[in-house]
Amino acid sequence: MTAPLFAEGELPRYARHIALREIGGPGQARLKRASVLVVGAGGLGAPVLMYLAAAGVGRIAVVDDDSVSLSNLQRQVIHSQDRLDMPKVASARIALAGINPFVSVTAVEARLDAGNAAEVVAGQDLAIDATDNLPARHLLNAACVAARVPLVSGAISQWEGQVTLYDPARGAPCLACLFPAIPAGGLAPDCASAGVMGALPGIIGAMMAAEAIKLLAGAGRSLRGRLLMQDVLWGESREIAVHRQKDCPVCGAIKGEDA
Ligand SMILES: [Zn+2]
């Protein structure tokens, strides 16, 4: 006999998912069987990790090399005052165990680099880009393209954020189709120098988590080929269509199904 998918006493916590026609028992089982990689345990990673754990994603791997500092707590709600100076992946693991002890969390205390990117992406059903810098974004994108792993990507700055799903193996562009070159230093300011409104990563990160849950459960219409943009200062949102570039240096050779 094979072991049951859900542990004793686990299923009732997912009752509100199971009640949804688009998720139901089969969708919840798909979430439980899923492995998701989250790169970054900061502003975007916080809501992504917390909602994915609460949703019952079976295995979550989180990669980050930073430690919790006081200026993080304005927006990185997975961390807390009593975990200052702790590695973010360790702090995140404590928070996630508190939300849902039935989720297996792998904490990788490392910076994503050319030496580990392929290894952390291997075997994942989905990857989530919750990083805050372009070199890491491009590294993760290239590893996901090579492994044909879909990549939910979010970005924030000041009062604005954006979300999309990169998936060249299934007709959507990759990051490099949209943003081919890494800007020279100084052209893409990070949150430390530009500032960021505290609730913004909560909004964008929750949208990323929703996209991941939809994709894993097989619900609704994904953001493949669509980039959503939110400007919370002016209360405006818009969507643009995005396309693969045939000559993309990263995904040009990938044969993909149509979106
Ligand atoms: Zn591409």
Side-chain angles (χ1 to χ4, degrees):
M1 258 185 62
T2 53
L5 183 60
F6 292 99
E8 177 93 34
E10 181 181 5
L11 214 46
R13 71 173 54 228
Y14 310 127
R16 300 298 181 275
H17 268 169
I18 292 166
L20 288 172
R21 185 167 48 95
E22 296 81 4
I23 296 181
Q28 193 63 48
R30 284 193 282 271
L31 291 172
K32 179 70 179 179
R33 288 195 200 95
S35 296
V36 176
L37 169 69
V38 180
V39 181
L44 292 171
V48 167
L49 288 161
M50 294 164 87
Y51 278 118
L52 292 188
V57 169
R59 288 176 300 279
I60 298 173
V62 53
V63 179
D64 198 301
D65 71 335
D66 204 4
S67 296
V68 180
S69 65
L70 193 57
S71 67
N72 297 150
L73 301 183
Q74 163 251 20
R75 65 198 176 284
Q76 300 183 17
V77 293
I78 197 169
H79 307 303
S80 58
Q81 178 83 26
D82 61 342
R83 299 201 289 271
L84 286 174
D85 301 322
M86 186 184 284
K88 286 186 179 177
V89 292
S91 169
R93 197 221 279 271
I94 292 169
L96 299 186
I99 293 168
N100 188 346
F102 300 107
V103 174
S104 162
V105 178
T106 303
V108 181
E109 191 187 347
R111 174 168 283 267
L112 190 81
D113 61 27
N116 62 18
E119 190 185 336
V120 295
V121 168
Q124 304 289 348
D125 297 303
L126 176 67
I128 300 192
D129 180 353
T131 63
D132 61 357
N133 69 90
L134 279 166
R137 288 184 186 281
H138 279 277
L139 259 172
L140 178 59
N141 176 64
C144 288
V145 170
R148 302 176 71 90
V149 171
L151 175 62
V152 174
S153 180
I156 50 170
S157 180
Q158 298 185 330
W159 297 85
E160 290 177 72
Q162 60 189 48
V163 191
T164 192
L165 174 64
Y166 297 123
D167 196 7
R170 292 160 201 88
C174 84
L175 171 70
C177 292
L178 273 55
F179 307 101
I182 296 175
L187 292 180
D190 60 16
C191 286
S193 47
V196 60
M197 191 274 289
L200 179 65
I203 294 164
I204 301 298
M207 290 172 68
M208 294 163 73
E211 189 64 17
I213 290 167
K214 279 164 50 189
L215 208 66
L216 296 169
R221 178 184 174 212
S222 81
L223 287 175
R224 281 192 189 94
R226 298 189 289 152
L227 179 72
L228 285 186
M229 289 176 286
Q230 294 279 340
D231 180 336
V232 300
L233 186 58
W234 297 102
E236 292 170 353
S237 60
R238 64 196 171 108
E239 175 189 317
I240 58 168
V242 290
H243 304 284
R244 285 191 73 185
Q245 302 298 319
K246 282 193 183 64
D247 57 350
C248 172
V250 178
C251 77
I254 295 285
K255 290 216 187 337
E257 310 145 30
D258 288 339

